[in-house]
Amino acid sequence: MTIPTQMSLHGFIATPPELTYSKNDVARFYARIGVEQWRKEADGSFTKLEPQFCDLVMFKTAAERAYARFRTGDQFVASGYVHEYEFDRDGETVQREEFVARRIGHDSARTRYSVERPTPERETGPTTGRDTQRRVEPTSTAVGI
């Protein structure tokens, strides 16, 4: 059996995230991101280089969640794929690429955070991803047994 994998990327949010909606009301998260670069020296030390910058996008509900949770400077880890595309600018064809994140989270190695886990009374729905309330009916009305 092969382990299913995806391309991953870790970096930092370099510009304020933007949330826009298409004509079909599909949410799109966009941010310019930076990826730190290091060079190993002959003596075993590392020299920090200028970061490499690229675009990161997400769509639909994931885009709305990312927009609510990420700010400029946040360190993240994302999985997804690289989308290459081209467009015309002033009569010239320009080729670009962007990282399309399917999943994203704060980098636990570089970020302090707390985790809020669902309680039995409040669970996350498996298909919608939205919080759903579970109603618990009493099984007995007896008191002081």
Side-chain angles (χ1 to χ4, degrees):
M1 180 167 86
T2 304
I3 298 173
T5 62
Q6 285 189 8
M7 185 180 296
S8 68
L9 176 68
H10 62 93
F12 61 92
I13 306 290
T15 63
E18 299 172 15
L19 183 66
T20 57
Y21 290 87
S22 69
K23 291 181 270 185
N24 299 330
D25 208 30
V26 175
R28 178 181 181 266
F29 172 93
Y30 167 83
R32 191 88 172 135
I33 61 161
V35 179
E36 293 178 344
Q37 305 290 308
W38 298 84
R39 179 180 61 227
K40 187 172 184 176
E41 303 297 344
D43 65 358
S45 66
F46 290 88
T47 301
K48 187 173 184 176
L49 305 174
E50 289 296 315
Q52 182 176 343
F53 293 93
C54 65
D55 297 332
L56 181 136
V57 296
M58 294 185 80
F59 298 97
K60 301 180 180 177
T61 304
E64 294 171 324
R65 288 184 183 149
Y67 182 73
R69 294 178 180 149
F70 285 90
R71 301 288 177 262
T72 304
D74 285 356
Q75 299 282 334
F76 69 88
V77 177
S79 66
Y81 61 95
V82 174
H83 172 234
E84 296 178 0
Y85 63 98
E86 53 186 48
F87 62 95
D88 290 328
R89 179 184 286 163
D90 300 327
E92 185 177 325
T93 301
V94 178
Q95 292 187 336
R96 297 282 303 254
E97 62 182 18
E98 62 190 1
F99 189 81
V100 181
R102 290 189 172 129
R103 300 192 182 270
I104 191 169
H106 287 91
D107 186 345
S108 64
R110 305 186 70 183
T111 306
R112 279 195 239 156
Y113 62 94
S114 62
V115 176
E116 293 182 31
R117 292 190 171 84
T119 62
E121 295 83 31
R122 184 178 174 133
E123 295 181 347
T124 302
T127 56
T128 64
R130 296 189 177 141
D131 289 339
T132 57
Q133 296 289 331
R134 180 197 294 175
R135 185 181 175 120
V136 179
E137 297 294 333
T139 56
S140 171
T141 56
V143 178
I145 297 180

